[in-house]
Amino acid sequence: MSDILVTEQSKPGADGSGRPSGRLLEVEDLRVEFRTRDGVAKVINGVTYHVDAGETLAVLGESGSGKSVTAQTIMGILDTPPGFVTGGQVRFHGKDMLAMSAEERRRIRGEGIAMVFQDALSALNPVFTVGFQIAEQFRVRRGLSRADAKKRAIEMLDQVKIPNAKGRFSNYPHQFSGGMRQRAMIAMSLALDPEVLIADEPTTALDVTVQAQIMDLLAEMQRERQMGLILITHDLGVVADVADRIAVMYAGRIVEEANVYDLYAKPAHPYTIGLIDSIPRMDEKGQQLRTIKGLPPNLMNIPPGCPFNPRCPMAQPVCREKVPPLLQVGVSRASACHFAEELVNRD
Amino acid sequence: MTENILEVRDLVKHYPVTRGVVFKKTIGHVKAVDGVSMELRSGETLGVVGESGCGKSTLARVLMNLERPTAGSVLYKGQDISKLSGGALRRLRRQIQLVMQDPYTSLNPRMTVGDLIGEPFEIHPDVAPRGSRRQKVKELLDLVGLNPEHINRYPHQFSGGQRQRIGIARALALRPEIIICDEPVSALDVSIQAQVMNLLEKLQDEFGLSYVFIAHDLSVVRHLSDRVAVMYLGKIVEIGTEDEIYERPTHPYTQALLSAVPVPDPTLRDQKAIIRLTGDVPSPVSPPSGCRFRTRCWKAQDVCAEQVPLLEIRSGSDHPSACHFAEKREIVATHEA
């Protein structure tokens, strides 16, 4: 079935070597709006990013920045209406998925790109056993028999380190703890061996000790399979631990993109600077936290010019007039700020 | 800083687990809080950290006297609040207020901000006579950084951070001495969270408030707290000053918890020694015998299954820890470079 999906010249080698120059997954100038009774909310306003095999891209942003809607659009699970794609492309192995038929997209889902959701309890179906929900994919997509599918599903549960996988196969989601449910979700998303995994806030609902377990598991699975991983999160701590590259989103735009070390050492956008400054740090006890003043913009009424200008400590008249494009600053990093050069060259 | 404004002694809160509809039978107890002793000093912030299910929110409810304890006592300036009722309880409630976690469900959507913040004055009319109430509410709005002109707006017209400010203004209305904050910033985005934390600090300085600050985020707790209590399955496993807990933790659970906190600095990626705990927190219906942490502990010996370790200062440590083998261990993860 997979040969329908990928053409011979675009299939990357499993180890990432001999890979053609084409990107694995690219989002280009994506635009999405939500048409509601109260008006049109411009949720995504030209998002461009890509992920390659074996690479972890972290998409960082606060609620309402559009990071999850971008993921939903990639997966083709955007609620329409109210959500409408108004422009841009999502290319998988160079082919625009937004132009594909529903049937073609369905084949990519699971085998090409899979997704792990934040809240495993509501993402799993409560009336089917966990094992059934994993095995179902093998039966429908791989045409395996019931017994073979079960065997493969137990293997998957075992791979994500669920103790007593065989016994757990016939448990329902509510019989699993939060961490185990997230493991089961990961098993389900990896069942068809996807090339790209999108993890949307996979550990936000979990406690720190369990969060560490799940992030380890994701990293291990990615290494083994050389997957491209898109990690969507608001947690600057988790990002620092696992990401290769980071794209920072604000009001439906990428405002900064850089490798993880450059971004933390010298952020090149005032929003990123503000975010990093507002995390409580262990070594600055007692001092006031530096904050970003004000609130994120209303997406139905995004301010003209740079969307961050009303909250920006550096804002100049030009920021209220011209939208700063996402431009290269220095080596392999980009920032959408009129003063990015100055920020990068500061001491 | 020496006077104890609130003292908790051997506090126990069990919830019965029942089976059957007509002939209800109690088949067990959820031991949500199981023998907690601590004190809150005047003007300080006591942080309470722990993972979900450790009993920290139940503790908040008992401290507020929203739940009666199964055993033990909560003393406010020497007076046992769990035995109070009627008018005496109402008068006491003025002194202890609560800020709740979820600013979306803790504000009545049909009430205006003015009504929400002014409601405490209805119950305690002696604090503000009827005529001056709107003025008082406007002052409170200004105090928490909201526009006093917005007094007639409804909660849905505010963002999450602004709603949490409304919750704080409501808690402040009666000028309490103690505010119990139950995860006040965990529902907020990073940039908004910092604003609310700064506000809480400012109010504490201005009014000399004492906080019990309950949260699962260890860096938030460290930023605000003078002393910290670490809870696990209904018990305090370690308590001490912020420095003692974060720099010199001696309980294995505290050490593991701290090491698991992701540090926002990629250069420390490979230098951190993370202690991996296996498995999940056991059920509070049937906690393990002896030390409750022993099922996940790498130091566990036979004695841990037999004897409940007391929360006490052991040799080689400067603060109480409930572990038979309490000792220091380097935790690189908690240090910023």
Side-chain angles (χ1 to χ4, degrees):
Chain A
M1 202 177 253
S2 62
D3 51 347
I4 309 168
L5 159 68
V6 273
T7 50
E8 58 283 53
Q9 81 274 10
S10 63
K11 177 79 179 171
D15 56 349
S17 65
R19 182 163 45 82
S21 57
R23 302 276 191 206
L24 188 50
L25 177 74
E26 293 166 278
V27 178
E28 196 182 315
D29 198 28
L30 187 69
R31 286 163 198 278
V32 174
E33 60 185 36
F34 278 67
R35 297 173 193 156
T36 68
R37 264 191 323 196
D38 302 327
V40 176
K42 294 196 182 305
V43 177
I44 302 192
N45 305 298
V47 163
T48 301
Y49 63 61
H50 67 89
V51 66
D52 293 331
E55 180 189 46
T56 301
L57 170 74
V59 179
L60 187 71
E62 297 184 279
S63 20
S65 61
K67 54 194 195 302
S68 292
V69 174
T70 313
Q72 286 168 8
T73 313
I74 295 172
M75 286 301 288
I77 53 172
L78 184 70
D79 277 334
T80 309
F84 293 89
V85 178
T86 54
Q89 287 192 334
V90 177
R91 289 192 296 270
F92 183 63
H93 288 298
K95 273 183 79 181
D96 184 11
M97 289 167 55
L98 299 179
M100 287 180 186
S101 69
E103 179 57 24
E104 275 178 295
R105 291 201 77 170
R106 205 175 71 81
R107 276 190 226 119
I108 294 178
R109 235 173 270 146
E111 279 176 80
I113 311 172
M115 186 157 170
V116 174
F117 296 90
Q118 173 178 168
D119 182 0
L121 187 59
S122 57
L124 293 168
N125 190 329
V127 301
F128 293 105
T129 63
V130 171
F132 175 87
Q133 294 181 57
I134 299 171
E136 190 182 21
Q137 301 185 65
F138 292 116
R139 291 172 54 204
V140 176
R141 301 291 283 271
R142 298 275 189 257
L144 296 189
S145 71
R146 213 172 261 269
D148 286 344
K150 178 171 177 177
K151 209 185 293 165
R152 292 291 300 277
I154 292 172
E155 274 172 36
M156 287 311 301
L157 287 173
D158 207 42
Q159 271 187 39
V160 296
K161 302 186 184 69
I162 289 185
N164 182 21
K166 215 172 192 159
R168 284 295 196 165
F169 178 87
S170 42
N171 278 176
Y172 288 88
H174 73 268
Q175 293 169 299
F176 277 48
S177 69
M180 298 259 268
R181 251 178 244 139
Q182 202 54 277
R183 285 175 193 272
M185 275 263 292
I186 292 172
M188 190 179 299
S189 62
L190 295 181
L192 299 178
D193 218 352
E195 292 170 73
V196 177
L197 183 69
I198 303 176
D200 189 358
E201 306 261 12
T203 59
T204 307
L206 305 176
D207 285 313
V208 274
T209 57
V210 182
Q211 167 172 293
Q213 296 171 1
I214 297 292
M215 288 316 300
D216 274 0
L217 176 70
L218 273 176
E220 188 188 321
M221 293 290 140
Q222 180 199 23
R223 253 196 324 274
E224 270 173 20
R225 294 152 188 260
Q226 281 296 304
M227 285 186 306
L229 177 64
I230 300 180
L231 178 70
I232 297 173
T233 180
H234 67 276
D235 189 326
L236 286 138
V238 171
V239 169
D241 267 350
V242 299
D244 297 315
R245 270 187 308 122
I246 300 181
V248 183
M249 285 190 74
Y250 186 79
R253 285 193 175 84
I254 305 276
V255 294
E256 177 165 8
E257 194 190 326
N259 83 49
V260 63
Y261 298 101
D262 289 346
L263 190 107
Y264 282 82
K266 205 171 239 188
H269 193 284
Y271 176 62
T272 319
I273 297 174
L275 269 190
I276 292 177
D277 281 350
S278 47
I279 333 172
R281 299 184 78 112
M282 302 283 196
D283 54 352
E284 286 179 7
K285 154 89 191 152
Q287 293 179 29
Q288 277 245 317
L289 287 173
R290 276 163 295 186
T291 60
I292 303 175
K293 63 175 186 188
L295 301 170
N298 178 350
L299 295 173
M300 294 193 191
N301 186 17
I302 296 176
C306 171
F308 188 60
N309 84 68
R311 303 177 75 188
C312 183
M314 298 173 58
Q316 302 293 323
V318 59
C319 302
R320 285 181 274 279
E321 288 151 22
K322 265 174 62 186
V323 179
L326 185 67
L327 292 178
Q328 291 278 280
V329 275
V331 190
S332 72
R333 61 184 302 180
S335 164
C337 175
H338 291 302
F339 304 100
E341 289 288 345
E342 289 167 35
L343 286 172
V344 170
N345 293 327
R346 76 190 188 279
D347 299 317
Chain B
M1 290 289 276
T2 45
E3 186 201 351
N4 288 344
I5 191 162
L6 201 65
E7 272 184 64
V8 178
R9 289 284 155 254
D10 303 315
L11 195 70
V12 177
K13 179 68 195 175
H14 289 181
Y15 294 97
V17 182
T18 57
R19 180 172 287 164
V21 183
V22 185
F23 301 103
K24 262 197 187 158
K25 240 179 23 190
T26 302
I27 54 168
H29 285 97
V30 176
K31 302 182 174 84
V33 174
D34 208 14
V36 163
S37 296
M38 60 184 201
E39 58 276 334
L40 176 69
R41 296 170 194 157
S42 178
E44 79 164 352
T45 302
L46 174 67
V48 179
V49 290
E51 298 182 284
S52 39
C54 74
K56 50 193 198 303
S57 289
T58 305
L59 180 66
R61 297 180 64 83
V62 178
L63 291 183
M64 283 296 296
N65 212 353
L66 293 170
E67 303 265 7
R68 298 270 168 174
T70 311
S73 53
V74 179
L75 306 173
Y76 166 76
K77 293 185 175 169
Q79 187 182 21
D80 191 347
I81 66 167
S82 52
K83 302 222 160 45
L84 295 179
S85 59
L89 178 59
R90 210 172 311 133
R91 276 190 295 282
L92 171 104
R93 284 238 166 92
R94 269 179 58 181
Q95 303 304 335
I96 310 179
Q97 292 287 319
L98 179 68
V99 174
M100 282 175 263
Q101 169 174 7
D102 186 349
Y104 294 87
T105 54
S106 59
L107 300 176
N108 187 338
R110 295 183 174 207
M111 288 168 80
T112 64
V113 170
D115 294 340
L116 281 165
I117 300 175
E119 199 178 23
F121 301 134
E122 299 281 331
I123 301 158
H124 301 277
D126 47 318
V127 181
R130 195 167 284 274
S132 70
R133 278 183 202 163
R134 280 186 79 80
Q135 191 47 42
K136 279 255 181 202
V137 171
K138 284 186 176 176
E139 282 168 28
L140 284 164
L141 282 172
D142 190 47
L143 196 64
V144 298
L146 292 172
N147 186 347
E149 303 292 304
H150 292 169
I151 187 165
N152 288 323
R153 291 198 178 183
Y154 287 90
H156 74 265
Q157 292 169 295
F158 294 89
S159 69
Q162 289 173 323
R163 283 184 217 210
Q164 202 54 295
R165 288 171 192 266
I166 297 170
I168 293 170
R170 182 171 61 175
L172 275 177
L174 299 173
R175 292 289 140 87
E177 292 179 81
I178 302 170
I179 294 187
I180 294 167
C181 307
D182 188 5
E183 303 264 12
V185 297
S186 34
L188 307 175
D189 276 319
V190 202
S191 69
I192 309 298
Q193 173 178 308
Q195 294 174 358
V196 172
M197 283 167 66
N198 282 347
L199 172 68
L200 286 171
E201 281 195 309
K202 184 194 99 176
L203 294 172
Q204 179 166 42
D205 290 346
E206 222 168 305
F207 298 107
L209 296 166
S210 311
Y211 288 143
V212 175
F213 192 90
I214 297 172
H216 69 276
D217 186 325
L218 288 128
S219 29
V220 168
V221 167
R222 179 166 204 192
H223 187 84
L224 288 173
S225 304
D226 302 304
R227 289 189 310 129
V228 178
V230 183
M231 282 187 77
Y232 186 77
L233 267 181
K235 278 187 184 304
I236 293 183
V237 295
E238 187 165 2
I239 186 164
T241 64
E242 159 263 318
D243 239 25
E244 285 164 352
I245 297 293
Y246 285 83
E247 300 292 338
R248 303 185 290 282
T250 61
H251 196 285
Y253 177 63
T254 314
Q255 293 168 350
L257 200 60
L258 286 174
S259 80
V261 178
V263 179
D265 187 346
T267 56
L268 293 178
R269 219 179 248 198
D270 301 319
Q271 300 167 27
K272 295 196 303 182
I274 294 187
I275 305 166
R276 294 283 183 242
L277 288 183
T278 49
D280 294 299
V281 184
S283 157
V285 178
S286 49
S289 66
C291 172
R292 294 181 172 198
F293 183 59
R294 70 178 164 86
T295 52
R296 300 171 79 193
C297 185
W298 63 96
K299 285 181 174 175
Q301 307 279 328
D302 292 342
V303 60
C304 302
E306 291 151 16
Q307 269 182 42
V308 179
L310 296 174
L311 183 64
E312 61 186 15
I313 302 177
R314 288 179 172 74
S315 62
S317 163
D318 50 1
H319 60 278
S321 169
C323 175
H324 292 301
F325 305 103
E327 59 180 353
K328 265 192 280 184
R329 182 190 170 105
E330 285 304 312
I331 304 284
V332 189
T334 65
H335 297 273
E336 296 289 339

